[in-house]
Amino acid sequence: MNHLLIALVAMFLQQTFAALGRALPAVIAPAIIADLLIDSAWIGVYFSIAAGAALATQLGCGSFIVRYGALRMSQLALVLLALGMALATIGHPIALVLSAALSGGGAAISTPSSSHLLGRCSPPRYLPLIFSIKQTAVPAGLLLAGMLGPQITEWLNWRSTMVLSALACLIFSFLLEPLRKTFDDDRDPTRKFRLSDFGNTLRAVIGTRELRNLSFACFAFNAVQTIFTVYFVVYLTTMGYTLVAAGFVFSIAVAVAVPGRIIWGLLGSSCVHPRTMMAALAIGMALSMVLLSFCAEGWPTIVVGIVATLISATALSWHGVLLAETARAAPEGSRGGVTGGVLSFGQVGALAAPSIFSLLLGMTNNYGIGFIVCSLPALFVGVILLRQGKAAAK
């Protein structure tokens, strides 16, 4: 139990820093746009590049987790993320492309690594709850980004904000070092990385019906989450909000995802079948994104905040249940690689959605159309999962 508690705290903090660094460019995007004189549609391009790098990383990280250990790879995730954030401060297009690739690829290692580590320490029955607690680190990181990012940017500038976040990631990566002997004792130094690992991971996921369905769900859920995270603050600034005010609304809404993930994980571990739980979240996130599309200048802040809170309680709160189901369905000793495979489908969603949103925004200059279109896959998946959940409960 002591090992589980230590592992849970370490992985929670590790993912908090990863989520903070990954979300920060979106939260302070208006300041970056104004300084570099670029169009807001390019935010989607930045995060599409990050998602592409994350896709490749998650497909291939399984062998590295086995060879070097989940804790070492968690440290590497933070180091790469820090380098990516530091590169962004140069402001040159090439530097921004490299920043997106390093940040996206680095941050993507954190979840498979932490899932591998906690999967070893946790009793199978409580996996949904343990994984949900661990995954509350993501909204915690988003909360910090929304509260501190705009404020520090206003006090200093966006470059200083990125540098400070990079330093925080580096420092914590070093603080994890004393735990490596305990939690990387399962590493296999003889394990080699091969290009075929990408294909093997995909086949392992696609070849199993249960994992294949979870992968499609991850695709749809991550698409909605990415669009909300990337464009919500920018959307509010087009409605007349200041950067600090928009960041505050974002933070308050995101805070709901912290207890939300734990509650959904607790329900998924006890009285509600995990598939039914995910179906409810899928339908909820699709409908709440449609509501967001109708928000306009002049709407009361409390109403906009309620809509954002509904999105947070669904689109930012599904991770623990889905990851626990993935870990449960994965072969023993392959949780990290299989989790990476399932999450890689999520990265396809994170890659496609911002690109589609940017295209629609450039064509129509209307954010609402993009919100609706990018939430349609979640609605479809929700209906499918609802049927599966009912069949499993019989």
Side-chain angles (χ1 to χ4, degrees):
M1 182 58 72
N2 286 339
H3 278 184
L4 174 58
L5 181 60
I6 293 171
L8 184 57
V9 171
M11 294 300 97
F12 176 89
L13 293 174
Q14 179 260 149
Q15 288 217 256
T16 299
F17 282 105
L20 167 64
R22 185 167 44 196
L24 192 59
V27 173
I28 62 173
I32 299 174
I33 291 168
D35 183 45
L36 300 182
L37 301 177
I38 57 177
D39 190 270
S40 59
W42 286 102
I43 304 170
V45 176
Y46 178 93
F47 280 94
S48 290
I49 294 171
L55 169 62
T57 301
Q58 287 181 335
L59 277 176
C61 70
S63 293
F64 290 99
I65 292 173
V66 173
R67 180 181 176 89
Y68 297 106
L71 196 93
R72 175 64 84 212
M73 295 304 293
S74 296
Q75 291 174 291
L76 178 63
L78 294 176
V79 171
L80 291 175
L81 180 58
L83 290 174
M85 286 189 287
L87 270 173
T89 62
I90 297 173
H92 190 277
I94 295 177
L96 290 173
V97 169
L98 292 175
S99 167
L102 278 176
S103 297
I109 303 172
S110 63
T111 301
S113 298
S114 58
S115 294
H116 180 94
L117 196 155
L118 286 175
R120 294 175 55 218
C121 302
S122 307
R125 178 184 174 185
Y126 295 107
L127 277 177
L129 178 59
I130 295 298
F131 276 52
S132 291
I133 293 173
K134 186 260 293 188
Q135 287 302 124
T136 59
V138 176
L142 296 178
L143 176 63
L144 289 174
M147 292 187 69
L148 299 179
Q151 196 65 65
I152 295 174
T153 300
E154 188 174 82
W155 288 340
L156 302 173
N157 53 62
W158 70 269
R159 287 183 170 87
S160 298
T161 305
M162 296 287 278
V163 168
L164 288 173
S165 181
L167 286 174
C169 289
L170 278 178
I171 291 170
F172 188 70
S173 70
F174 287 112
L175 293 178
L176 287 174
E177 183 62 29
L179 301 179
R180 194 181 180 224
K181 183 177 180 180
T182 300
F183 293 110
D184 279 353
D185 58 346
D186 67 328
R187 64 185 184 276
D188 179 8
T190 63
R191 180 66 172 263
K192 297 183 182 299
F193 170 78
R194 300 179 179 86
L195 288 177
S196 59
D197 290 345
F198 292 94
N200 292 337
T201 299
L202 273 178
R203 281 190 291 273
V205 171
I206 296 176
T208 305
R209 182 174 180 271
E210 194 170 11
L211 291 173
R212 184 168 62 246
N213 292 337
L214 290 170
S215 298
F216 293 150
C218 193
F219 166 88
F221 297 173
N222 217 26
V224 177
Q225 174 184 289
T226 301
I227 292 303
F228 176 70
T229 303
V230 171
Y231 278 105
F232 181 71
V233 172
V234 177
Y235 183 45
L236 291 193
T237 59
T238 66
M239 293 163 54
Y241 287 74
T242 66
L243 177 58
V244 173
F248 179 76
V249 174
F250 177 78
S251 298
I252 295 301
V254 164
V256 174
V258 176
R261 293 189 183 205
I262 297 175
I263 292 170
W264 306 148
L266 185 60
L267 290 175
S269 297
S270 53
C271 54
V272 180
H273 192 278
R275 299 302 172 98
T276 303
M277 189 76 260
M278 286 189 287
L281 294 174
I283 294 171
M285 71 179 73
L287 295 178
S288 55
M289 286 292 281
V290 172
L291 288 176
L292 180 63
S293 71
F294 288 108
C295 292
E297 187 173 355
W299 278 43
T301 301
I302 186 66
V303 175
V304 177
I306 290 172
V307 173
T309 298
L310 291 174
I311 298 172
S312 176
T314 52
L316 301 184
S317 303
W318 52 270
H319 307 70
V321 181
L322 187 142
L323 290 173
E325 280 289 279
T326 301
R328 184 187 58 78
E332 187 65 33
S334 301
R335 290 189 182 94
V338 168
T339 299
V342 170
L343 288 175
S344 68
F345 280 82
Q347 295 304 335
V348 174
L351 171 65
S355 300
I356 293 171
F357 194 101
S358 296
L359 179 62
L360 291 172
L361 183 60
M363 292 171 59
T364 66
N365 197 32
N366 187 305
Y367 285 79
I369 293 174
F371 289 142
I372 293 173
V373 170
C374 292
S375 65
L376 290 177
L379 182 62
F380 175 76
V381 166
V383 173
I384 300 299
L385 287 174
L386 189 60
R387 292 177 178 174
Q388 291 178 356
K390 288 180 178 179
K394 291 180 180 178

